């Protein structure tokens, strides 16, 4: 094993948190929280990832409040789930891994039937792309008081997460969710201090970062996920991402995860590979939504062929400009790629689909000279988000790897 690859498998620190290697499970909303309650399946899922050697697993999409959920079956941070979260976290810790929670808010898009507000709130009045088929056609613009309230909500959620035992938090600044809607000129049409220039559009995300930091203290890891580009005309692009990253770095973030795309306008940039249009139509239960997806699908779900390390070149531009940790995500699936990422100066690697395909990836890769993941980027896993069993690899299922023979050892 050469020095770069060795670095990948050796212990590392993230703002004082010791991690046994540099692999972090990427946030992948697991769909194992019926009614918003963490199920035993969710605990099993993360425990399995932990037993496969990953240093830190991430609970995908932990909404910071009930109305921040995209649907009623998503987690939101509140006292009622403290016991289940504690049990999950202890179970992961028992396997030697750490747990991060991805702090999310849907902003102006939601199909949550339990929404307490009349409409979801975003930076500006507009169409609620996700809820349209459920009779929730519009979103409203947040007032200054709503913005202040949202900042407090992030602070309270972060304090709760630290008190429950999470080892780190990841703020979602990307994929077209609430904070990203403020950052993007496509969705933010405000005329006040929170709209217009990038400085103004970053005001809320930076206030949120400061509030989360205030809640958890200086020695607790706070990382953030951004979109390198939204991939839509009039939206954020690669140059904006460099500026945004520099502002987050200056704002005291411990690590930046460089993803891309938006969930409702251009999701395929995020994944590459097999188009999710048809699998999502197949999985959709709402007939109206099925029809809408059928019609608008081809313009929404563009084809982006899979390439290994598809965000590397743009992520490197950010690496050059920030001091904080750089956490690479997007098509890292071989030992050659892991080695390359270390050589290019990245600090950690997030893995999504490859860990769904093989939760034992870090252990396998450490023992296999020319390791290559068996994930074929078909993206069928994406359409299992609302499956009764939760997300899984449709080729390999979920629990096959523990007995698999490890061959080709170094
Ligand atoms: C089933 C599934 C669910 C996902 N859910 C989330 C999510 O909740 N939050 C998020 O930021 N990204 C989500 N993603 C995107 C991944 O975190 C990651 O950015 C993407 O899969 C690319 O990384 P990969 O090539 O290692 O899979 C999801 C991906 C998949 C496959």
């Amino acid at each position: 094993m050469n020095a770069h690859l060795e670095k990948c498998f050796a212990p590392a620190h993230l703002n004082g948190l010791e991690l046994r290697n540099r692999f972090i499970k990427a946030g992948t909303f697991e769909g194992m929280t019926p009614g918003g309650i963490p199920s035993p399946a969710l605990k099993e899922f993360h425990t399995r990832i932990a037993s496969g050697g990953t240093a830190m697993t991430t609970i995908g999409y932990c909404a910071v409040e009930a109305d921040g959920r995209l649907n009623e079956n998503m987690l939101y941070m509140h006292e009622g789930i403290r016991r289940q979260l504690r049990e999950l976290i202890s179970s992961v810790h028992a396997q030697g891994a750490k747990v991060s929670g991805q702090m999310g808010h849907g902003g102006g898009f939601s199909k949550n039937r339990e929404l307490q507000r009349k409409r979801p709130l975003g930076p500006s009045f507009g169409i609620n792309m996700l809820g349209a088929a459920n009779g929730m056609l519009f979103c409203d613009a947040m007032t200054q008081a709503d913005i202040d309230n949202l900042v407090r909500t992030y602070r309270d959620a972060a304090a709760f997460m630290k008190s429950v035992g999470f080892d780190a938090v990841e703020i979602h600044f990307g994929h077209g969710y609430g904070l990203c809607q403020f950052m993007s000129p496509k969705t933010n049409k405000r005329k006040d201090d929170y709209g217009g220039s990038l400085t103004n559009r970053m005001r809320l995300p930076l206030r949120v970062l400061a509030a989360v930091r205030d809640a958890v203290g200086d020695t607790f890891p706070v990382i953030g996920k951004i979109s390198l580009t939204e991939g839509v005309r009039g939206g954020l692009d690669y140059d904006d991402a460099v500026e945004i990253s520099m502002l987050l770095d200056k704002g005291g973030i411990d690590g930046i995860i460089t993803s891309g795309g938006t969930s409702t306008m251009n999701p395929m940039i995020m994944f590459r590979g097999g188009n999710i249009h048809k699998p999502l139509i197949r999985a959709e239960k709402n007939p109206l939504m099925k029809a809408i997806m059928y019609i608008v699908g081809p313009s929404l779900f563009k084809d982006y062929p899979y390439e290994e390390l598809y965000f590397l070149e743009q992520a490197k531009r950010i690496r050059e400009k920030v001091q904080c940790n750089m956490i690479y995500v997007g098509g890292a699936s071989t030992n050659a790629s892991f080695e390359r990422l270390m050589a290019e100066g990245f600090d950690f690697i997030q893995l999504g689909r490859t860990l769904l395909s093989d939760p034992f990836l870090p252990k396998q890769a450490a023992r296999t000279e020319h390791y290559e993941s068996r994930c074929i980027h078909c993206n069928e896993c994406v359409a299992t988000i609302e499956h009764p069993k939760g997300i899984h690899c449709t080729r390999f299922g979920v629990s096959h790897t523990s007995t698999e023979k490890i061959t080709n050892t170094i």
Side-chain angles (χ1 to χ4, degrees):
M1 219 186 252
N2 81 19
H4 289 306
L5 194 54
E6 228 164 58
K7 181 175 170 193
C8 221
F9 294 102
H13 286 90
L14 177 61
N15 189 9
L17 178 70
E18 181 160 345
L19 298 174
R20 62 185 167 193
N21 57 46
R22 290 173 188 268
F23 294 107
I24 301 175
K25 162 76 175 53
T28 54
F29 170 65
E30 291 86 7
M32 297 172 192
T33 47
I37 310 290
S39 65
L42 187 72
K43 180 169 109 180
E44 245 177 66
F45 175 92
H46 286 286
T47 305
R48 190 178 313 111
I49 296 283
S51 65
T54 294
M56 180 158 76
T57 190
T58 305
I59 303 187
Y61 208 93
C62 301
V64 293
E65 62 166 343
D67 277 8
R69 294 178 293 172
L70 306 182
N71 66 54
E72 55 284 2
N73 289 321
M74 284 184 136
L75 277 183
Y76 68 100
M77 296 299 103
H78 68 293
E79 280 300 329
I81 57 170
R82 181 179 286 276
R83 179 183 59 78
Q84 293 90 335
L85 287 176
R86 270 194 189 280
E87 283 175 13
L88 187 161
I89 292 168
S90 320
S91 177
V92 170
H93 284 170
Q95 296 294 331
K98 309 285 193 234
V99 187
S100 174
Q102 185 180 59
M103 304 181 76
H105 197 292
F109 70 77
S110 174
K111 59 173 184 174
N112 179 3
R113 282 173 298 207
E114 292 171 3
L115 205 66
Q116 289 152 27
R117 295 187 183 100
K118 198 169 139 235
R119 292 172 175 164
L121 298 179
S124 307
F125 173 79
I127 301 283
N128 167 17
M129 303 268 285
L130 198 63
N134 291 11
M136 299 158 71
L137 191 54
F138 299 108
C139 61
D140 277 334
M142 291 171 80
T143 62
Q144 174 72 50
D146 294 325
I147 290 175
D148 294 343
N149 191 40
L150 186 64
V151 173
R152 269 194 301 276
T153 301
Y154 270 92
R155 178 186 288 118
D156 292 348
F160 171 76
M161 290 165 86
K162 185 178 178 191
S163 78
V164 166
F166 280 92
D167 301 288
V169 292
E170 172 184 319
I171 305 173
H172 211 323
F173 294 108
H175 296 178
Y177 294 124
L179 297 178
C180 187
Q181 290 161 22
F182 269 81
M183 289 152 76
S184 171
K186 178 87 182 167
T187 40
N188 182 343
K189 306 290 181 198
R190 298 179 75 94
K191 303 277 180 255
D192 61 3
D193 287 353
Y194 292 86
S197 65
L198 183 65
T199 307
N200 279 0
R201 285 181 277 119
M202 282 300 288
R203 200 175 302 280
L204 172 62
L206 289 171
R207 281 189 66 192
V208 163
L209 172 60
V212 167
R213 173 62 74 204
D214 187 47
V216 298
D218 288 342
T219 54
F220 189 86
V222 178
I223 58 180
K225 188 167 185 173
I226 65 162
S227 285
L228 285 163
T229 172
E230 289 188 292
V232 289
R233 194 173 304 145
L236 294 168
D237 65 16
Y238 293 110
D239 292 338
D240 297 317
V242 177
E243 300 291 319
I244 286 168
S245 300
M246 288 165 69
L247 289 169
L248 294 174
D249 190 30
K250 212 168 136 213
I253 203 149
D254 294 315
I256 296 176
I257 308 150
T258 43
S259 181
T262 81
S263 291
T264 53
M265 291 185 279
N266 193 351
M268 282 306 301
I269 285 195
M270 187 188 315
F271 303 112
R272 318 289 167 110
N275 200 307
I276 57 179
H277 184 204
K278 287 199 177 116
L280 282 179
I281 290 179
R282 258 199 326 269
E284 179 58 52
K285 292 180 201 89
N286 180 329
L288 181 56
M289 191 62 180
K290 243 188 213 298
I292 293 175
M293 281 168 69
Y294 201 79
I295 295 161
V296 300
S299 62
L300 213 63
F301 300 100
K302 301 196 181 82
D303 282 320
Y304 291 92
Y306 180 82
E307 280 169 50
E308 192 66 10
L309 300 182
Y310 49 83
F311 283 136
L312 180 60
E313 290 313 311
Q314 301 302 336
K316 271 165 61 181
R317 288 182 60 196
I318 293 176
R319 170 68 297 174
E320 284 163 19
K321 297 282 185 185
V322 299
Q323 303 300 314
C324 65
N325 288 287
M326 278 294 289
I327 305 172
Y328 182 84
V329 75
S333 76
T334 67
N335 270 359
S337 292
F338 305 151
E339 183 185 325
R340 170 109 192 260
L341 289 170
M342 293 297 113
E344 299 282 6
F346 290 87
D347 302 284
F348 295 95
I349 304 171
Q350 278 204 351
L351 303 171
R353 292 162 294 178
T354 49
L355 280 174
L356 297 183
S357 161
D358 183 0
F360 284 69
L361 185 156
K363 282 189 178 166
Q364 303 267 28
R367 294 170 185 157
T368 313
E369 193 175 355
H370 300 293
Y371 175 82
E372 289 187 8
S373 161
R374 60 185 172 190
C375 171
I376 56 163
H377 337 289
C378 61
N379 293 327
E380 292 278 340
C381 55
V382 180
T384 64
I385 278 180
E386 293 190 7
H387 190 281
K389 269 191 349 197
I391 54 164
H392 57 275
C393 172
T394 58
R395 291 182 81 218
F396 294 112
V398 285
S399 60
H400 46 277
T401 44
S402 51
T403 52
E404 205 168 66
K405 253 181 90 193
I406 296 166
T407 52
N408 202 10
T409 51
I410 295 173

